[in-house]
């Protein structure tokens, strides 16, 4: 027993909030993707003929609502839906992007521009989608501390 009864007690607890801090870049990434999606949605609704929009494009807009929710939840350490939902959604998102982005999309205009434009286009797409996949994957599979907070 301690000899000083007036000594402040010390607890050996890990600061959970500190361990769940995210880089400011995830927040910046979320807002960039959010602004792009809002601009795209406005453009596709206001002038669908300029983009040759079809029903798949409108469906893609709806699918990207949970993507934004996942990136927001990951960046700002908030829980939405369930962890298992995001695990399944991650797999769905990868399959959707491959199918929609590479198989369903008409790449003939890009191919006519040359190989450099094709490489730059694919590079730009990957620049935005790889962080998206990382965020959704970590949100569903790696953030055990975050999900354990809501279950306790």
């Amino acid at each position: 027993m301690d000899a000083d009864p007036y000594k402040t007690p010390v607890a050996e607890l890990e600061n959970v909030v500190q361990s769940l801090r995210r880089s400011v870049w995830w927040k910046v990434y979320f807002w960039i993707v959010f602004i792009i999606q809002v601009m795209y949605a406005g453009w596709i609704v206001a002038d669908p003929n300029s983009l040759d929009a079809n029903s798949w494009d409108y469906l893609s807009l709806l699918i990207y609502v949970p993507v934004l929710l996942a990136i927001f939840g990951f960046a700002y350490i908030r829980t939405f839906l369930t962890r298992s939902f995001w695990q399944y959604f991650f797999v769905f998102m990868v399959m959707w992007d491959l199918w929609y982005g590479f198989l369903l999309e008409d790449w003939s205009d890009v191919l006519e521009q040359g190989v450099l434009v094709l490489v730059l286009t694919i590079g730009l797409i990957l620049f935005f989608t790889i962080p998206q996949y990382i965020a959704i994957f970590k949100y569903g599979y790696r953030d055990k501390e975050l999900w354990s907070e809501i279950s306790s």
Side-chain angles (χ1 to χ4, degrees), residues 70-90:
I71 297 170
F72 178 87
F74 179 73
Y76 287 94
I77 310 171
R78 303 283 189 273
T79 55
F80 300 103
L81 304 172
T82 65
R83 186 172 179 218
S84 62
F85 171 83
W86 296 113
Q87 291 171 348
Y88 288 115
F89 186 75
F90 170 76

Side-chain angles (χ1 to χ4, degrees), residues 50-61:
S50 69
L51 295 175
D52 293 327
N54 58 36
S55 57
W56 294 112
D57 296 322
Y58 294 104
L59 181 60
S60 180
L61 281 176

Side-chain angles (χ1 to χ4, degrees), residues 45-115:
V45 170
D47 191 11
N49 294 330
S50 69
L51 295 175
D52 293 327
N54 58 36
S55 57
W56 294 112
D57 296 322
Y58 294 104
L59 181 60
S60 180
L61 281 176
L62 291 175
I63 288 172
Y64 265 84
V65 170
V67 168
L68 291 172
L69 196 63
I71 297 170
F72 178 87
F74 179 73
Y76 287 94
I77 310 171
R78 303 283 189 273
T79 55
F80 300 103
L81 304 172
T82 65
R83 186 172 179 218
S84 62
F85 171 83
W86 296 113
Q87 291 171 348
Y88 288 115
F89 186 75
F90 170 76
V91 174
F92 168 77
M93 219 32 237
V94 171
M95 292 186 318
W96 170 261
D97 279 344
L98 289 173
W99 183 71
Y100 175 77
F102 292 105
L103 299 177
L104 195 63
E105 192 65 33
D106 181 17
W107 287 83
S108 60
D109 292 340
V110 177
L111 290 171
E112 289 174 4
Q113 304 273 329
V115 176

Side-chain angles (χ1 to χ4, degrees), residues 33-49:
V33 171
F34 179 79
I35 290 168
I36 289 171
Q37 285 298 318
V38 168
M39 289 171 47
Y40 178 67
W43 189 6
I44 203 169
V45 170
D47 191 11
N49 294 330

